[in-house]
């Protein structure tokens, strides 16, 4: 399993973060908005635990500025 931690930055639009949380991590709109605001206010926050990673079949991962991936093994 992996733990996804999102980090706040000065470049990624808030609506993009909400879209990632909804489209990739299957969060509902209220939860995605709450998580985005938590990341924005605190600097970083765990947003998902998932296995396998949703982008395993894509051949690449989303930008490192948006999130960090940690193995929970």
């Amino acid at each position: 399993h992996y733990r996804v931690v999102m980090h706040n930055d000065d470049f990624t639009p808030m609506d993009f973060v909400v879209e990632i949380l909804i489209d990739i991590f299957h969060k509902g709109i209220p939860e995605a908005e709450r998580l985005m605001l938590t990341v924005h206010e605190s600097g970083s926050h765990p947003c998902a635990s998932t296995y396998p990673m949703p982008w395993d079949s894509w051949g690449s991962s989303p930008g490192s500025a948006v999130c960090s991936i940690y193995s929970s093994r």
Side-chain angles (χ1 to χ4, degrees):
H1 286 106
Y2 295 90
R3 182 172 155 196
V4 178
V5 177
M6 288 196 150
H7 301 272
N8 188 42
D9 65 28
D10 295 330
F11 307 103
T12 308
M14 291 179 177
D15 59 335
F16 177 76
V17 174
V18 171
E19 287 181 39
I20 292 294
L21 290 165
I22 293 169
D23 295 343
I24 295 177
F25 297 107
H26 308 290
K27 304 294 184 186
I29 293 171
E31 183 180 11
E33 290 174 345
R34 181 186 57 77
L35 285 168
M36 176 274 298
L37 286 174
T38 301
V39 170
H40 179 71
E41 293 169 355
S42 67
S44 66
H45 189 73
C47 294
S49 287
T50 184
Y51 181 80
M53 293 309 293
W55 49 80
D56 282 348
S57 61
W58 303 348
S60 64
S61 65
S64 60
V66 176
C67 62
S68 298
I69 314 303
Y70 299 97
S71 174
S72 61
R73 297 179 218 195

